[in-house]
Amino acid sequence: MKRKIMLFGASGSTGVQICKELESRSMNYFAFVRKDSVSKLKLFSPSITTGDVLVIADVEKVINENDFTDIIVAIGSRDFRGGEIRSNGTKNIVSALNSNGKQARLHVVSANGVGDSWNNLKWYEKLICKLFISKAMKDHELQEECVTANPGGFHIIRPVGLNNELGSGKIIIKKSGALPNSKVSRANVARYLVDSLSGNTMGRHSICDA
Ligand SMILES: NC(=O)c1ccc[n+]([C@@H]2O[C@H](COP(=O)([O-])OP(=O)(O)OC[C@H]3O[C@@H](n4cnc5c(N)ncnc54)[C@H](OP(=O)(O)O)[C@@H]3O)[C@@H](O)[C@H]2O)c1
């Protein structure tokens, strides 16, 4: 199957790992980035579209002009306490697909603890979520709701705490149940994301480093 891939959030810490992973497999892709962030992709060679994911016209334009088979969503906010960027940005992507009658599978970087994975968390992880990142978690909850309404299908990846260590390639993936670790490298998340995209994996999976 010939894929046409779009990556939202390409300039982010996980996004650049996804660029690296796609390029290591010689997979062509498009990257949607804000104008001021184009330089963050200087080591990579995607087809770049500049825009703001919160501006529906920007998102509609690129979706209307292309027939993407797969859309990767790795958007986020560096303000760990807040933002509605994940849900509002994803809502725009799904709405642009629907209003243009397009079908693409969404591959979304969410977070462990969202939705039914809340039960996977240990008591102190629940406390951290409630005390420090409740707004981000709420944003991911709303994001996941938009994603599950996507007619083209979805794969939601729910990582535990992200870090920038080199990816060992060894991860643990769970549909349910507690994970043994509370960290995962962004490189490992990227590798899993691209593996699962290539393998047509769907549904929701939580992941941590092995
Ligand atoms: N940190 C953790 O431990 C952890 C754990 C589990 C899950 N997560 C989730 O994993 C995801 C990725 O995390 P990360 O650390 O890679 O995020 P990040 O480095 O903050 O990257 C966020 C990306 O979103 C882009 N973005 C933000 N607002 C945008 C807008 N209006 N239009 C277009 N692009 C926009 C940013 O672009 P710019 O470069 O232009 O700013 C950047 O490319 C996040 O959703 C986060 O909540 C994080």
Side-chain angles (χ1 to χ4, degrees):
M1 171 189 181
K2 179 113 180 76
R3 295 189 186 268
K4 190 163 186 180
I5 301 169
M6 165 54 93
L7 169 57
F8 285 88
S11 55
S13 307
T14 307
V16 295
Q17 294 298 327
I18 297 170
C19 294
K20 202 170 166 184
E21 193 62 39
L22 288 166
E23 294 195 12
S24 75
R25 302 181 197 207
S26 306
M27 292 168 82
N28 293 328
Y29 63 104
F30 287 67
F32 184 97
V33 281
R34 289 191 276 200
K35 216 182 249 170
D36 291 349
S37 300
V38 169
S39 62
K40 296 179 190 170
L41 294 184
K42 60 179 182 287
L43 296 178
F44 305 102
S45 45
S47 301
I48 291 183
T49 296
T50 56
D52 187 320
V53 76
L54 298 178
V55 176
I56 184 75
D58 290 355
V59 180
E60 280 197 332
K61 184 169 188 302
V62 72
I63 285 182
N64 199 14
E65 288 173 356
N66 294 281
D67 284 320
F68 295 117
T69 57
D70 297 88
I71 295 181
I72 301 169
V73 183
I75 53 177
S77 165
R78 292 198 175 91
D79 174 3
F80 73 98
R81 276 178 297 209
E84 294 179 339
I85 159 76
R86 303 162 185 85
S87 55
N88 287 334
T90 307
K91 208 180 289 169
N92 281 347
I93 295 166
V94 173
S95 145
L97 284 167
N98 284 332
S99 62
N100 289 291
K102 307 260 184 179
Q103 290 227 343
R105 184 165 301 166
L106 297 178
H107 308 264
V108 178
V109 181
S110 178
N112 190 42
V114 174
D116 58 357
S117 68
W118 179 252
N119 296 327
N120 298 353
L121 301 186
K122 299 176 185 73
W123 69 267
Y124 56 85
E125 290 171 333
K126 287 182 178 169
L127 191 64
I128 290 169
C129 287
K130 284 188 173 165
L131 288 179
F132 302 113
I133 53 168
S134 62
K135 285 189 182 162
M137 294 298 278
K138 178 72 189 160
D139 197 21
H140 275 305
E141 296 278 354
L142 296 171
Q143 179 186 41
E144 290 201 7
E145 280 171 27
C146 308
V147 169
T148 49
N150 178 44
F154 67 89
H155 183 212
I156 291 171
I157 298 177
R158 293 166 167 167
V160 293
L162 296 169
N163 64 45
N164 293 324
E165 287 170 17
L166 288 176
S168 62
K170 292 183 184 150
I171 51 169
I172 294 168
I173 305 155
K174 289 215 174 204
K175 276 191 177 179
S176 60
L179 291 165
N181 253 321
S182 29
K183 61 171 196 162
V184 63
S185 77
R186 288 180 169 89
N188 277 347
V189 173
R191 186 178 304 179
Y192 174 60
L193 190 151
V194 178
D195 278 347
S196 59
L197 182 154
S198 306
N200 297 316
T201 303
M202 301 206 9
R204 302 169 183 80
H205 293 97
S206 292
I207 66 168
C208 69
D209 278 342

